[in-house]
Structures are given as C-alpha cells and as structure tokens.
Amino acid sequence: MSLIKDVFSPSWLDRLGAAVDVPDFRRRVEQGDWEELAFKQRVRRVAETLETILPPFPDSVSELERLAPQFTGLPGIVFPEYVERTATLADWTLAIEILAKLTQHSTSEFAVRRFLLADQELYLEQAFKWTTSDDEHVRRLASEGTRPRLPWGQAIPRLIADPRPALPILDALLQDPSLYVRKSVANHLNDISKTHPEYLIERIERHLGTDPNTDWILRHASRTLLKRGNPEVLQLFGHVTQGEVEVTDLVVSPVTIGQELQFSFQVNSSVEQRLRLEYAIDYVKQRGTSRKVFQLREREVKGVLQVERRQSFRNMTTRVHYPGTHTLTILINGEVYATATFEVEEES
C-alpha cells in the first residue's frame, strides 16, 4: 500500500536534483534514517537539503519561483517549507507575498502559520484580501491557513479560544464556486463548531437556503454537530421526527478482529418523511469504551425500510480493536431508537 510519504519517490528527488544542478541531491536527502521518516519529517529533510544549496531568503526568491511550477502537487510544499524555515520576521511582507505565489502550485497552508502567529491582525487583513483572488488556491489559502486546528499544522491558540477574527474571511467565501475552496471553508467551520457551535449555528440560521454553494458548505461544516445530535442543528436541517417511528428486528452478529461486523434492522415510519439514519459503536478500549458515530444515509421513508450494513473490524493506525462486549446503537434524527450488544473475538 502506498503511503503519503512516498510522494518523495527516488525519481522525484532525482528530478529536483537535476533542477538545482546537484547530481547527488537524492543521496544527501536519503542519508541516515530516511526510510523511518514520516511525511512532514521528509518535507523538512528536503527543505533542509535545499538550504545547503539555495541562497538565503530573500535572495532565493527567483529560484523558488522557477522551481515551484516544475514540482506541483503535494510534494511541492517543500518550497513553502523552505520560506518558513529561512525567512526572518523582518521579511514578513515579502514572505507572505511569495507564499501566496507558491501556494498556486502546491499549498502554503502550513508555512503561513508561523507568520500568522507572529502578527495575527496583519495576517488576517492580508488573508481577507486573498478571498477576492482569481486563483482558487489563493482563496483556499485564506481559509486553510487560518484553520485553528489544521491537521499536521501548528495550532493557533488565539483563534481556538476566539475564532471571531477569522469569521469575515469565511463569510466572504460562503458562495465560492470552487469545491476546493468550499471544502476548506466547511472544514474550518467544522473545527470552530467543536468548541464554539454558536458561530456555525448563526450562519446556518442566516444563510441556509440562500445559495446552493453555501448550503453545501453549511451541511458539510455541520457534520460534527449532527453526529453529536445537536438539536438546534438537526432542526435547522429539517431532521424533526414526525408521526410514529420505530426500529425493529435489530440483529447483530459476533465478529472476529480483522473481519467485518454484519447487522440489520427495520425502520417503520407512519408518515412519509426524510430521516437521518446513523449508528454508533461503543468500542472497547484498553481503558473503558469510546463511541464513534457513523452515518448510514438520509432518505425519504414511509412504511418499512430494511437496512443492512457491514462495518470493518480490521486494525488500522487510527483504530485498534480489542476483544470484549461492544454496543451498537441505532440513531434516527439524533435520537436513540434501538441498542444491542455483540462480542468481538481475538483473531485466531
């Protein structure tokens, strides 16, 4: 299975070495513990190697602008990384300008955070200007670079505590035609909703139904609150149960770690209505249990709906399974309708 860190393939490193006219570039990068390095560590290693070749910032700007268009996509983040590592805060204005150019070929979402942390007010002012850019990568940087809890990125404590200074940036992008941008705005709002749900709820109340692109953002941004069964958000999206609804015939089979759990049930609705169907599993952990909610579907239901589902119990880096008695719960519009236990057994 290919890993994300493998984007820095031998051929890619050789190509970069040729571009900077250093024949042994790959050897310099791969020395020592290269195979053990994770993705962001490899980014750092490549950038460190470039530091021994390129002139210091800002004298390296022309070289960065020459190289970046030749190495587009995810591995191209080595060039913003280089700026983050070598530019001083005295270079703040030029560094931000160059990072906006480099993001058009890859992404500067990680590199800009050093400069955001150094001067939040000035950075947010610049990011708001980016929201009107003709380039979707620059508009996305306006949102993604200010996400308070960006995966793999430095956290922004001030924006975690008070996200309001960044909200005008997100509001300016709520109707963005680019899915690339909309995904970032939705993820940013979802980050905010985990500690400040009121700011997302305000935007749903104000903007839901005004534009299809906005509706997409608001629904995708609400996934955490919907999974938590937030009653305000469920109601705003029309997930209000009408008439009589019941879940019957819940059947859950035991499962062996490494295999798939199988379960089925019936939903009975006395009136036609759109229902949000989810299930939660209380996983046995080394200490206690941990619940995870999974969405099944949203669909119109009248009468009887038969539902069958499989859930993988293969061990992953993000989830390790333990034997013992687990609990499966069926949720409709955020409310519990049926619960059953099942056994998870060790691999033979």
Side-chain angles (χ1 to χ4, degrees):
M1 182 180 65
S2 179
L3 301 175
I4 191 169
K5 68 180 185 179
D6 293 333
V7 296
F8 298 111
S9 64
S11 61
W12 190 93
L13 293 171
D14 284 337
R15 193 159 62 86
L16 180 54
V20 294
D21 196 23
V22 178
D24 67 339
F25 181 81
R26 175 156 66 96
R27 181 191 61 78
R28 297 190 195 184
V29 170
E30 291 183 340
Q31 49 82 24
D33 56 353
W34 174 254
E35 289 302 320
E36 287 72 47
L37 297 182
F39 171 68
K40 282 304 293 295
Q41 293 171 315
R42 290 191 174 190
V43 173
R44 188 176 308 116
R45 173 70 61 77
V46 176
E48 287 173 345
T49 307
L50 286 173
E51 286 182 56
T52 67
I53 298 164
L54 301 182
F57 192 91
D59 295 337
S60 57
V61 165
S62 60
E63 270 294 273
L64 295 172
E65 292 179 330
R66 179 183 71 85
L67 293 167
Q70 302 178 53
F71 298 89
T72 58
L74 184 58
I77 69 171
V78 297
F79 304 116
E81 173 86 5
Y82 180 89
V83 175
E84 178 188 5
R85 292 179 56 83
T86 61
T88 69
L89 293 180
D91 300 315
W92 197 100
T93 301
L94 179 59
I96 289 298
E97 177 186 337
I98 298 306
L99 288 171
K101 291 181 179 180
L102 296 177
T103 206
Q104 298 173 47
H105 306 293
S106 179
T107 177
S108 296
E109 66 198 70
F110 305 110
V112 295
R113 302 172 86 77
R114 174 191 171 202
F115 302 95
L116 166 58
L117 288 164
D119 194 329
Q120 178 171 299
E121 288 72 24
L122 185 59
Y123 181 86
L124 293 179
E125 181 181 329
Q126 177 58 61
F128 185 79
K129 294 177 182 177
W130 287 338
T131 64
T132 62
S133 171
D134 293 334
D135 190 290
E136 65 176 353
H137 296 84
V138 177
R139 299 198 306 276
R140 178 183 178 274
L141 181 62
S143 168
E144 199 73 1
T146 52
R147 277 182 64 183
R149 293 183 175 89
L150 179 67
W152 290 344
Q154 259 186 302
I156 311 298
R158 285 179 62 189
L159 291 180
I160 291 174
D162 182 5
R164 287 176 295 177
L167 290 176
I169 294 168
L170 305 183
D171 289 341
L173 298 170
L174 279 178
Q175 295 183 13
D176 201 279
S178 166
L179 179 61
Y180 189 48
V181 177
R182 294 199 302 273
K183 285 181 177 179
S184 174
V185 176
N187 289 336
H188 192 149
L189 285 168
N190 183 58
D191 284 352
I192 291 173
S193 76
K194 295 173 183 177
T195 49
H196 300 278
E198 64 274 17
Y199 298 128
L200 175 55
I201 292 171
E202 286 175 10
R203 278 150 183 81
I204 299 171
E205 292 174 335
R206 191 184 319 144
H207 298 294
L208 187 64
T210 61
D211 182 89
N213 289 335
T214 304
D215 289 353
W216 188 96
I217 289 172
L218 294 175
R219 175 166 287 278
H220 194 57
S222 300
R223 60 191 184 275
T224 295
L225 295 183
L226 287 169
K227 283 186 176 183
R228 289 178 177 175
N230 184 286
E232 288 181 83
V233 175
L234 285 163
Q235 185 169 10
L236 286 167
F237 282 107
H239 299 304
V240 179
T241 307
Q242 302 171 5
E244 294 185 8
V245 175
E246 63 176 346
V247 170
T248 61
D249 300 329
L250 174 58
V251 178
V252 191
S253 302
V255 63
T256 300
I257 294 173
Q259 303 299 316
E260 289 186 329
L261 173 72
Q262 299 182 47
F263 63 94
S264 62
F265 60 93
Q266 288 186 346
V267 179
N268 302 272
S269 176
S270 62
V271 298
E272 185 173 357
Q273 59 184 310
R274 189 166 189 84
L275 298 177
R276 178 181 175 87
L277 307 180
E278 299 172 301
Y279 63 97
I281 296 178
D282 291 303
Y283 288 96
V284 171
K285 309 307 270 183
Q286 286 184 312
R287 296 183 180 85
T289 61
S290 175
R291 170 168 286 200
K292 184 169 178 60
V293 178
F294 303 88
Q295 184 175 355
L296 279 163
R297 64 187 76 172
E298 288 183 16
R299 61 170 296 169
E300 298 293 330
V301 180
K302 182 180 181 181
V304 178
L305 172 68
Q306 178 70 28
V307 180
E308 298 180 357
R309 181 77 174 197
R310 294 172 179 265
Q311 174 67 39
S312 173
F313 266 72
R314 293 193 305 270
N315 285 330
M316 302 177 290
T317 55
T318 55
R319 186 181 304 134
V320 176
H321 299 286
Y322 297 89
T325 303
H326 290 54
T327 302
L328 175 75
T329 302
I330 306 302
L331 305 163
I332 298 180
N333 291 346
E335 297 182 1
V336 173
Y337 274 77
T339 300
T341 58
F342 63 96
E343 294 300 317
V344 175
E345 301 172 350
E346 288 273 21
E347 290 182 277
S348 57

